[in-house]
Amino acid sequence: MQVQGFPAQRYPLQSNSLRRRWFVTAALAGVIALVFSGCGGGGKATGTPVGVQNKPTFAAGTTMARLAEAGKVTVGTKFDQPLFGLKGLDGKVTGFDVEIAKIISAGLGINESAITFVETPSSQREGAIQQGKVDFVVATYTINDKRRQLVSFAGPYYQAGQDIMVKKENTTITGPESLRTAKAKVCSVSGSTPAEKIKEYVDASNIVLFDVYSKCADALRTGQVDAVTTDNVVLLGLADSSGGAFKLIGKPFTVEPYGIGIKKGDIAFCQFINEQLTAASTDGRYAKAWESTAGKVARTTPTLPTLGACS
Ligand code: GLU
């Protein structure tokens, strides 16, 4: 065997044993390179991340067959929620929701470079699915009966809970019950479940609604509101990027199971997505998705919740 590029005569001052040691090292490197170049398909050679299926086939007429054939997918997500869906200055979207979208797309044989992420604020999710603007939505999207009348959900893939975020120095807001006594102005987002729930604790005149949560964070920073309410993990991302200016109360008072929104009644697609989630949870991709995103701040890696029936 000849090791290319490193002829022994280039190193005339080396002893024989040194040369032999170098040869063994080079040969080993070659073996390692071969292993990583993906003997048996996939791997680095093609630039295909682990888990992307190689031309999977699906029953004709299914959403899976259509998307796999197209070789691309459009996904609705958030663009201003650190840890779950955040569009960076480089134009790339990152977060746990984005990783879940990649896992689903991988099952369709679609690489992440063929995913188009579309910003889908809370109040626009059902419409985007119904109008076919997106193939599915992964956007901190709570599964509930009201939404189930308009769309179907795969999952849940995570369970959050509504919480409250205030300025670091605030000591008067200690939970939802304290909001009325503190005469607090509370910010949330239109079309979200927390915006509905908070009505039980705050007079309508003290609720401020925006279209996205980053605007609530701005309003808290400038003192236009006293608190922001939504899911704990959404608040965690905002608090983490506030440079210590905000804190969470840390007492979740609802249960928010996150689903993947799809066209109503697309049971085969729902079952397919659930299979991808189960596979990713078994082979470690689910945990890895968490650890590389939200897990950097929320240290406990969740396990995949029990999946719901597709309807
Ligand atoms: N999970 C809640 C919802 O789906 C709040 C987070 C959000 O607005 O995306 O409404």
Side-chain angles (χ1 to χ4, degrees):
M1 178 180 169
Q2 254 238 291
V3 182
Q4 298 289 319
F6 294 96
Q9 59 271 28
R10 273 208 213 151
Y11 305 94
L13 297 180
Q14 283 179 349
S15 70
N16 268 345
S17 84
L18 250 182
R19 229 179 265 162
R20 196 163 45 239
R21 213 181 301 159
W22 174 87
F23 181 85
V24 170
T25 312
L28 255 177
V31 170
I32 291 167
L34 267 179
V35 168
F36 279 92
S37 71
C39 317
K44 264 193 183 167
T46 55
T48 313
V50 179
V52 176
Q53 294 295 310
N54 188 16
K55 298 198 174 60
T57 49
F58 299 102
T62 58
T63 301
M64 295 82 81
R66 177 175 61 78
L67 296 174
E69 166 70 10
K72 57 183 183 175
V73 70
T74 305
V75 178
T77 196
K78 300 298 186 73
F79 276 9
D80 70 329
Q81 293 180 199
L83 308 182
F84 272 71
L86 180 71
K87 190 170 184 175
L89 294 175
D90 58 1
K92 281 205 183 124
V93 196
T94 53
F96 187 56
D97 281 342
V98 171
E99 294 305 312
I100 294 292
K102 287 183 196 171
I103 286 170
I104 297 164
S105 304
L108 295 163
I110 298 172
N111 199 329
E112 58 179 271
S113 59
I115 307 174
T116 303
F117 288 99
V118 174
E119 185 177 22
T120 316
S122 301
S123 69
Q124 293 177 25
R125 293 175 292 200
E126 291 86 30
I129 295 166
Q130 288 179 310
Q131 293 153 29
K133 287 185 182 161
V134 295
D135 297 305
F136 58 90
V137 164
V138 198
T140 60
Y141 197 7
T142 296
I143 302 171
N144 65 28
D145 287 343
K146 193 173 161 210
R147 291 172 178 166
R148 269 213 199 93
Q149 310 205 331
L150 304 171
V151 298
S152 288
F153 287 100
Y157 61 94
Y158 183 72
Q159 189 160 288
Q162 183 172 352
D163 203 345
I164 297 166
M165 181 173 79
V166 293
K167 275 191 175 163
K168 183 187 65 189
E169 55 276 10
N170 184 303
T171 51
T172 50
I173 297 170
T174 52
E177 294 81 10
S178 66
L179 291 168
R180 198 167 261 127
T181 350
K183 293 194 170 47
K185 276 214 176 299
V186 184
C187 190
S188 198
V189 157
S190 324
S192 72
T193 49
E196 279 304 307
K197 180 75 184 170
I198 207 63
K199 289 179 186 167
E200 292 174 23
Y201 301 98
V202 183
D203 298 338
S205 58
N206 275 335
I207 299 176
V208 178
L209 295 180
F210 287 116
D211 57 343
V212 290
Y213 292 106
S214 48
K215 291 184 186 168
C216 282
D218 288 341
L220 182 61
R221 191 172 296 115
T222 54
Q224 289 165 298
V225 300
D226 307 295
V228 179
T229 188
T230 185
D231 301 340
N232 48 2
V233 282
V234 177
L235 296 175
L236 189 66
L238 295 170
D240 181 58
S241 52
S242 74
F246 306 151
K247 65 178 180 190
L248 263 69
I249 298 305
K251 290 186 217 150
F253 52 98
T254 67
V255 174
E256 310 286 332
Y258 286 178
I260 292 122
I262 57 173
K263 275 243 166 80
K264 186 168 165 61
D266 195 343
I267 289 171
F269 193 33
C270 171
Q271 285 165 345
F272 167 80
I273 293 173
N274 283 351
E275 282 161 21
Q276 305 316 302
L277 293 174
T278 304
S281 147
T282 310
D283 66 20
R285 283 177 297 144
Y286 174 86
K288 219 173 136 203
W290 178 267
E291 281 151 18
S292 64
T293 57
K296 289 188 175 157
V297 180
R299 300 235 175 249
T300 324
T301 304
T303 49
L304 183 68
T306 305
L307 300 173
C310 290
S311 59

